[in-house]
Structures are given as C-alpha cells and as structure tokens.
C-alpha cells in the first residue's frame, strides 16, 4: 500500500469495474477500502449496511471504519520506519480512536488539556504525547506537566519562562520550538500556517526563532530536543516539505555553531492532502517519504550534522477518508434557478464548507433510482444561508424526503469542529469492523443541552 497515494485506494473497493453489483473505479475511490455496493442501492462499509446504521442509531450519524484507520496508521509506519508518527488529535479524537492509534504504534499530538486528559485517561502513554498550540492556557500547561507529557512545543517567547517556572527546580521538561519557515502551502488561506503572516510559530526570517532557541538553552530545567514546524493543511505537493527541510536544517546548523548544541529531532508536522472527490489531487505518501529522507540526508551532510530523528504528524490523512456521514433528506425545494435538498444535519456537524468552501460528493443510499441525474445543492437545516454541504452536485432527479444521503471523507474536522448551533445536538459516532457496528460516541441529546443551562 505504501506505493499508492495514501488518501484513496487505486481500484474500486467493491470489485472489478463493470461487473454486476459494482460501481465504476472512480465512483468509490474516496470511500473506505472496505466499501462494497449491493443491489437496490445498498452500500456497506466494514461489512455493515449504512442503512442499517441509520435505522439503528438515527441520523445524522457518523460511521468510522476501524480497519481503514488502522491500515493508514500502518502505511505511515511503513513509509517512515525511522520516524516517530504522531496522530494529530485535532482532526478527531475519541477514546476508541486513541486506543487504535496507540495499538498501531503511533504517538499523539494534542492541542489542549481536554485532548490530553481524554487520551491519558484512556490509557495512552503520556510520554508519547506532544502538546502544542499558539496560546496555551495555564490549565493546558499544568495538565501537561502533571501527567508527564513527552514534549511541549513552544510557540511564543513568553512560554519559555512560564514553562520553566512551572517545571520547578526539581523537574525537567522536554520542549521543541515551533518555527515559521516562510513557506505558503495549503488548500485554503485559512489553513496555511507556514508563512510569516499568521499566528503560529516564531519566524525564521526575522531571527525570532533563533533568539527563542537561545533563551530555551539558557533554562537548566528545559531540554530542547529539536525544531517543530507545520506548513498548513491539504498540501498535495511534496516540494514545500523539501524546502522546509533545507531551511530548518540550516537553522539547526546555526544553533550548533552558535551554542555547540546538536539538536536530535526535527518535526515536519502534517497537513498531508486527501481527495474529497474522485479525481482530486492527494499527497503521495511514498514519494513524500522518499524525497524527504533524501533531502534530509543531503542537507545534513552539507551542514556536517547527523541526521535528526524525524517526527511526522498526520491527522486528516489517517482519519478523514475512514469516516462517512449519513443524513436523511427532510425537504426537496425546486425553484426556477436551483433545486435544494435539505438534510437533517449541516454546519453544526460539518462547518468546513462554510469555513473553507470545501466540496463533497454525496450519494443516495438505500434504494435504487432509475431516474436521471439532476444538479442539486445539498443544504443543512440551520438558519444560515451559508449552511451548504454540497453545491451543484448530481443526484437522482426523483430524490425525495426520507431518502438517505451518505457523504464520504467525513472523518476529519467534522465532529471535532461541531457545535450546538440552533441547539441541535451533535451526532453519534459508530465504528464498523468485520460486519459489526458498535457505538463509540453517543448522540448529544436535548437533555444534555439543558443540563448545561444552570441559571434562570
């Protein structure tokens, strides 16, 4: 599998193209590899019919393919056998997912005390967890030190003294410094984090990164293990990572020359792009691993440095294509200019189209339609004109209330960014594996929402 682009299988998971009961190669290319199609519009993931999950758990509902998550973890381990792989929990985290990731030998990258506590109370080893964030709260740092987190990534100079003071005279904490290498990469301007004009990291260009490193090295209770960077998200090109390697190795050489310290670790972050629709570009993991390894070796040799231990932080590329969202159609509204198909979820469980203009390919499931395709706009139920899940997409012309729609590549940044807008509870998460389904996260109920409202 490591010879393929990570985000999508190269062949239709349901069988040979053109054979009875299967879809064309590209129709299911962005679905989990366990996806199979049956007659009468039935679609199975992990051996479980999506209609069965919808009937048993209601809609909207999120389905997470455990086999797909585990296989993607293994693909990273195979592609980067010499590196530490840390799953980026911000993409989506629940207790079961933390358990799967830990069993597959990955570490964890967290952004808050909440993510950290959930992982550690699940049994995830704290020493395999890395905490980062541009504005860590006192609770974040206290929790990290109390639980014994493996590394804390320093994002601003003010954190240096705060962390050192919190560690105390008897402690010692491993830290990294997040560097902004001056590289603009990512699928949308709101998810580009490697340039100098955004909130993350310390600039390589203006010397702030080097100054912060010097300050960390002056702290006897902080152990600087290396340099951290994250270029952005949905990056489909290898080149930005190679430029980052060259620039960061150059910084490591300057640190060696100025302070006599050889830093043993280099964290290149994640941001590996996946395809949300058939035919979209995705980052080829095998090519990335080969070229990063070669560039790192060449740059270190030129600088007279030993090759540092590499750290990679995939999130979306592990869990995104493993998730499927299932909605029920509530309303079909035909206007002179457009047909709107409104479903029982929307921006409260998937804000990404409203935030980034992301496009999906929803699919009718649960019945076969002989009607021709009609271009429609799939919208959510919320009181926002921007609550659009999929614009101008083909669905059967006889789409009607009660139908089920499934949305692939729904595992990342859906529920992790969900809200209770309009007091609509967040959907449940159901795992599938080998023909069995089990509930991982229950639906948020009206009783849950009322329980938080304690004043009158």
């Amino acid at each position: 599998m490591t010879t393929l682009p990570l985000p999508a299988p190269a062949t239709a998971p349901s069988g040979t193209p053109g054979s009875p009961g299967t879809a064309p190669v590209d129709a299911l290319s962005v679905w989990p590899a366990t996806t199979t199609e049956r007659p009468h519009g039935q679609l199975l993931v992990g051996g479980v019919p999506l209609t069965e999950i919808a009937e048993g758990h209601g809609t909207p509902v999120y389905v997470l393919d455990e086999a797909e998550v585990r296989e993607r973890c293994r693909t990273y381990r195979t592609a980067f056998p010499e590196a530490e792989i840390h799953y980026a929990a911000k993409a989506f985290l629940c207790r079961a997912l933390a358990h799967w990731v830990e069993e597959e030998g990955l570490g964890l990258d967290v952004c808050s005390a909440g993510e950290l506590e959930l992982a550690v109370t699940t049994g995830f080893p704290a020493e395999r967890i890395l905490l980062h964030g541009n504005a860590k709260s006192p609770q974040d740092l206290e929790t990290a030190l109390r639980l014994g987190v493996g590394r804390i990534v320093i994002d601003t100079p003010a954190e240096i003294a705060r962390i050192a003071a919190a560690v105390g005279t008897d402690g010692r904490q491993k830290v990294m410094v997040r560097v902004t290498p001056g590289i603009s990469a990512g699928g949308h301007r709101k998810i580009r984090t490697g340039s100098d004009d955004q909130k993350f990291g310390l600039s390589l260009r203006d010397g702030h990164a080097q100054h912060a490193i010097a300050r960390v090295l002056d702290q006897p209770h902080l152990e600087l293990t290396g340099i951290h960077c994250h270029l952005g998200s949905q990056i489909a090109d290898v080149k930005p990572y190679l430029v980052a390697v060259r620039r960061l190795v150059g910084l490591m050489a300057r640190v060696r020359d100025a302070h006599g310290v050889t830093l043993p670790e280099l964290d290149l972050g994640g941001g590996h792009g996946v395809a949300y629709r058939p035919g979209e570009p995705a980052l080829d993991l095998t090519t990335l691993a080969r070229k990063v390894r070669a560039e790192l070796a060449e740059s270190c040799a030129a600088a007279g440095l030993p090759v540092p231990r590499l750290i990679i932080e995939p999130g979306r590329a592990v869990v995104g294509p493993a998730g499927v969202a299932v909605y029920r159609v509530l309303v079909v509204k035909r206007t002179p200019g457009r047909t709107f198909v409104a479903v029982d979820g929307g921006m409260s469980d998937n804000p990404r189209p409203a935030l980034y203009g992301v496009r999906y390919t929803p699919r009718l499931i649960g019945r076969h339609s002989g009607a021709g395709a009609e271009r429609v706009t799939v919208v959510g139920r919320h009181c926002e004109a921007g609550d659009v899940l999929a614009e101008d997409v083909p669905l059967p012309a006889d789409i009607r209330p009660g139908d089920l729609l499934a949305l692939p590549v729904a595992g990342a940044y859906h529920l992790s960014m969900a809200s209770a807008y309009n007091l609509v509870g967040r959907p449940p998460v159901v795992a599938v594996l080998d023909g069995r389904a089990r509930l991982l996260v229950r639906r948020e109920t009206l009783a849950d929402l009322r329980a938080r409202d304690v004043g009158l």
Side-chain angles (χ1 to χ4, degrees):
M1 185 173 177
T2 57
T3 59
L4 303 176
L6 180 68
T11 58
S14 52
T16 305
S19 62
T22 66
V25 169
D26 64 344
L28 294 176
S29 64
V30 295
W31 289 73
T34 65
T35 305
T36 55
E37 190 177 18
R38 295 287 186 263
H40 310 298
Q42 191 70 266
L43 207 66
L44 288 74
V45 176
V48 182
L50 293 178
T51 53
E52 182 180 299
I53 294 175
E55 293 302 323
H57 296 275
T59 55
V61 60
Y62 279 81
V63 180
L64 195 58
D65 186 341
E66 179 179 344
E68 182 84 6
V69 171
R70 289 183 180 274
E71 181 60 25
R72 287 172 176 271
C73 291
R74 293 166 190 165
T75 299
Y76 269 96
R77 296 284 294 163
T78 301
F80 291 95
E82 76 292 346
E84 281 188 34
I85 311 298
H86 286 241
Y87 170 68
K90 62 182 179 177
F92 174 68
L93 185 66
C94 66
R95 296 170 67 86
L97 182 57
H99 182 62
W100 303 343
V101 167
E102 193 272 332
E103 282 194 333
E104 296 301 331
L106 273 62
L108 204 62
D109 156 29
V110 301
C111 303
S112 70
E115 291 177 350
L116 178 56
E117 287 266 13
L118 186 144
V120 173
T121 56
T122 301
F124 204 102
E127 64 273 15
R128 286 169 52 190
I129 300 177
L130 177 151
L131 171 71
H132 73 84
N134 71 295
K136 303 176 191 68
S137 71
Q139 182 188 11
D140 294 335
L141 293 177
E142 185 279 327
T143 303
L145 295 173
R146 172 171 53 85
L147 296 178
V149 73
R151 303 173 189 83
I152 298 175
V153 178
I154 292 171
D155 197 280
T156 179
E159 287 183 347
I160 299 170
R162 287 175 58 199
I163 297 171
V167 169
T169 57
D170 297 327
R172 189 167 175 82
Q173 175 63 50
K174 292 182 178 180
V175 298
M176 306 186 84
V177 171
R178 179 162 177 171
V179 173
T180 303
I183 298 168
S184 181
H188 189 280
R189 65 178 183 83
K190 293 183 179 180
I191 52 175
R192 294 172 187 162
T193 58
S195 58
D196 290 322
D197 58 351
Q198 45 72 49
K199 68 178 184 176
F200 293 102
L202 294 152
S203 175
L204 184 61
R205 184 172 300 162
D206 63 13
H208 277 83
Q210 233 174 310
H211 179 66
I213 288 169
R215 287 185 56 192
V216 172
L217 292 173
D218 281 341
Q219 295 288 341
H221 302 292
L222 300 183
E223 178 185 347
L224 182 63
T225 67
I227 305 299
H228 180 287
C229 83
H230 182 70
L231 302 181
S233 295
Q234 276 298 86
I235 302 171
D237 186 5
V238 171
K239 291 180 182 178
Y241 294 101
L242 306 183
V243 176
V245 168
R246 288 194 291 272
R247 293 183 182 178
L248 295 177
V249 169
L251 174 61
M252 296 174 83
R254 291 193 293 276
V255 170
R256 185 231 14 228
D257 295 343
H259 305 284
V261 174
T262 300
L263 299 176
E265 295 179 340
L266 176 59
D267 191 328
L268 281 183
H272 306 158
V274 305
Y276 279 87
R277 297 183 297 166
E280 285 187 345
L283 186 66
D284 187 308
L285 183 61
T286 301
T287 302
L288 175 71
R290 174 173 52 82
K291 291 192 173 183
V292 163
R293 188 180 297 112
E295 182 62 51
L296 188 58
E298 182 179 331
S299 296
C300 287
L305 287 172
V307 174
R309 183 172 179 82
L310 194 62
I311 301 173
I312 305 291
E313 299 174 358
R316 184 198 318 265
V318 168
V319 77
V324 177
V326 182
Y327 300 98
R328 193 172 295 277
V329 175
L330 299 179
V331 173
V332 177
K333 181 187 292 185
R334 289 183 166 84
T335 69
R338 186 176 296 190
T339 296
F340 294 96
V341 176
V343 298
D344 55 359
M347 67 187 302
S348 65
D349 66 84
N350 180 9
R352 298 185 66 253
L355 287 172
Y356 312 132
V358 177
R359 300 189 67 183
Y360 294 88
T361 306
R363 181 187 182 101
L364 174 69
I365 61 170
R367 72 174 177 90
H368 173 74
S369 172
E374 176 186 4
R375 308 296 295 193
V376 306
T377 295
V378 180
V379 299
R381 59 171 293 181
H382 298 286
C383 294
E384 295 285 342
D387 183 19
V388 176
L389 286 174
E391 191 168 8
D392 192 31
V393 294
L395 283 174
D398 63 351
I399 190 81
R400 54 183 182 255
D403 279 340
L404 291 172
L405 295 182
L407 205 74
V409 203
Y413 301 107
H414 286 216
L415 285 180
S416 65
M417 300 176 73
S419 72
Y421 184 45
N422 293 152
L423 292 187
V424 174
R426 288 169 290 184
V429 179
V430 176
V432 292
L433 180 68
D434 297 333
R436 296 194 301 173
R438 71 184 192 281
L439 184 66
L440 300 185
V441 181
R442 67 168 175 82
R443 185 179 302 279
E444 188 174 35
T445 66
L446 292 178
D448 293 327
L449 298 171
R450 286 196 305 268
R452 296 184 65 241
D453 192 339
V454 298
L456 188 62

